[in-house]
Amino acid sequence: MAGRFAPRSARAALPHQAAAPPLRATAPSHDGPAARAADPSHDALPLRATEPSHDAPPLTREWTPPGPLDLRLVLGPLRRGPADPTFRMVADGTFWRATRTPEGPGTLRVAARGDRIAAAAWGPGADWLLAGLPALLGADDDPDAFVPRHRLLALTRHRRPGLRLLRTGLVMESLIPSILEQKVTTDEAYRAWRHLVRRFGTPAPGPTADLGLHVMPDPRGWAMIPSWEWHRANVDAKRSSTILRAVRVARRLEEAATMNLPEALTRLELIPGIGPWTSAETLQRSNGAPDAVTVGDLHLPGIVGHALADHRDADDEEMLTLLTPYEGQRHRATRLILLSGHTPKRRAPRMTPGNITHL
């Protein structure tokens, strides 16, 4: 589920999380008068950024959030495991994201600079990524719409003022890894995502070689993956078939990013193999949907039941009943519950990961 756990404290960078190359030259600001007129909250100042001489200088943008903003909380749901080839957080608190936009592949670097956010982008999708920076960081989200009815949620919101719900505007980017997470452990799903993106994706634009960033395949690239490579990635036929059905209509599914929540859920769930769990997990990220509550999850009903009613054996029906006071904000309520750390103690061993690669 999105934002399943509170962010861990900072630690030394792993080899693939090495610091970004030093900045050496000034790049022109991405934003002109038209962009400032279209986005009054956007304060465009030139970000002094450079790249190694063999790379074109990035497009840049600076933006002032309307309130407190915690990049770890906001961008965390995009990270699919500690070695996600599309996402990195380096030791200095800078976030890197490689993705496939409607304009093509792009790499986005985001960092907090006091009360401002500094961003740089590379690749054909750079303009698109910078134009969507405020939405990505929750500018369209309204945290004040949430009214806590439980003391636990009130305290957690007070302690996490920088929580905002992101909106990527990209459906397939979140749909495919969500399908990979169906009915398996998160470790299995993360390994499959890493294998497939590194094997069939493309290196991310910009100075990303030391970070090992890759852009996921386009729909045709996913469709061309041989059956034995799905097997090698430990992805069963049910999940791989669902992904193949989805990429055949990728353009139509991407339209869900601009739909209201009921219409978007319906659009995604027209695809056999995509149910309420997968569609909610996708739209939480692509649409920033504050009411896209995850049903069908193995753990979430018990966590919500334990937090709000001291009932760790709650099912989906009871979870939805407990979340009724938060209608319209149920996803935000579950994020706050997960961030509170008030979760039941484990009573059984972890699920044993499956492995079909030897079959």
Side-chain angles (χ1 to χ4, degrees):
M1 71 201 76
R4 189 183 301 268
F5 299 112
R8 294 181 178 177
S9 56
R11 64 178 181 181
L14 298 175
H16 66 269
Q17 296 171 319
L23 304 181
R24 294 177 187 160
T26 301
S29 172
H30 164 70
D31 303 290
R36 288 193 293 271
D39 184 0
S41 67
H42 164 218
D43 302 313
L45 294 177
L47 171 61
R48 296 193 173 273
T50 64
E51 305 310 324
S53 58
H54 58 81
D55 279 319
L59 299 179
T60 63
R61 177 176 185 176
E62 286 198 356
W63 175 70
T64 302
L69 186 68
D70 186 327
L71 288 176
R72 290 170 69 89
L73 291 180
V74 176
L75 296 175
L78 297 179
R79 178 176 177 262
R80 307 286 183 165
D84 184 346
T86 69
F87 188 92
R88 289 285 186 274
M89 189 193 80
V90 297
D92 64 358
T94 301
F95 292 80
W96 292 75
R97 174 175 178 245
T99 189
R100 186 170 295 279
T101 77
E103 305 299 326
T107 300
L108 179 68
R109 183 185 66 201
V110 181
R113 299 286 184 260
D115 62 348
R116 303 175 69 81
I117 301 298
W122 295 260
D127 270 309
W128 193 95
L129 287 169
L130 291 181
L133 178 69
L136 176 69
L137 299 182
D140 300 330
D141 185 33
D142 182 13
D144 293 334
F146 180 80
V147 180
R149 307 290 185 181
H150 296 80
R151 184 172 182 272
L152 176 68
L153 298 188
L155 288 173
T156 306
R157 187 177 72 161
H158 177 73
R159 292 167 180 165
R160 304 280 190 167
L163 173 64
R164 285 180 172 269
L165 303 182
L166 63 83
R167 182 170 71 83
T168 66
L170 299 170
V171 172
M172 298 304 294
E173 172 193 74
S174 295
L175 177 61
I176 291 175
S178 295
I179 294 172
L180 292 174
E181 292 173 8
Q182 292 176 349
K183 306 296 184 182
V184 298
T185 65
T186 53
D187 286 344
E188 289 175 80
Y190 292 160
R191 283 196 298 270
W193 175 247
R194 288 196 301 269
H195 173 84
L196 293 168
V197 172
R198 288 172 177 166
R199 180 81 172 81
F200 299 101
T202 55
T208 64
D210 290 341
L211 300 171
L213 285 179
H214 283 67
V215 176
M216 77 172 193
D218 61 12
R220 177 175 171 79
W222 286 111
M224 295 297 290
I225 296 177
S227 59
W228 59 86
E229 288 289 355
W230 293 105
H231 190 87
R232 184 176 296 174
N234 200 28
V235 179
D236 57 58
K238 182 176 181 180
R239 287 179 291 152
S240 62
S241 296
T242 300
I243 291 173
L244 294 177
R245 285 191 290 267
V247 298
R248 291 189 190 109
V249 291
R251 183 180 62 82
R252 296 286 287 165
L253 293 181
E254 289 290 357
E255 293 172 358
T258 60
M259 296 177 178
N260 61 39
L261 181 59
E263 292 176 344
L265 291 169
T266 299
R267 175 65 62 90
L268 266 60
E269 291 171 22
L270 287 173
I271 306 300
I274 297 177
W277 186 92
T278 306
S279 59
E281 289 285 307
T282 300
L283 297 174
Q284 288 164 4
R285 298 168 171 88
S286 64
N287 294 32
D291 199 46
V293 60
T294 302
V295 296
D297 192 82
L298 179 62
H299 304 288
L300 187 61
I303 293 173
V304 173
H306 175 75
L308 301 185
D310 197 24
H311 183 203
R312 62 177 297 159
D313 295 316
D315 57 14
D316 278 334
E317 183 177 356
E318 182 170 352
M319 176 181 71
L320 294 176
T321 299
L322 291 169
L323 293 174
T324 299
Y326 303 109
E327 195 79 35
Q329 295 284 320
R330 292 176 296 179
H331 170 49
R332 191 190 309 277
T334 60
R335 283 286 318 264
L336 289 170
I337 289 170
L338 292 166
L339 289 171
S340 75
H342 191 74
T343 57
K345 294 182 179 179
R346 186 178 298 277
R347 291 190 303 193
R350 293 181 180 273
M351 182 186 297
T352 302
N355 189 352
I356 65 170
T357 58
H358 65 283
L359 298 178

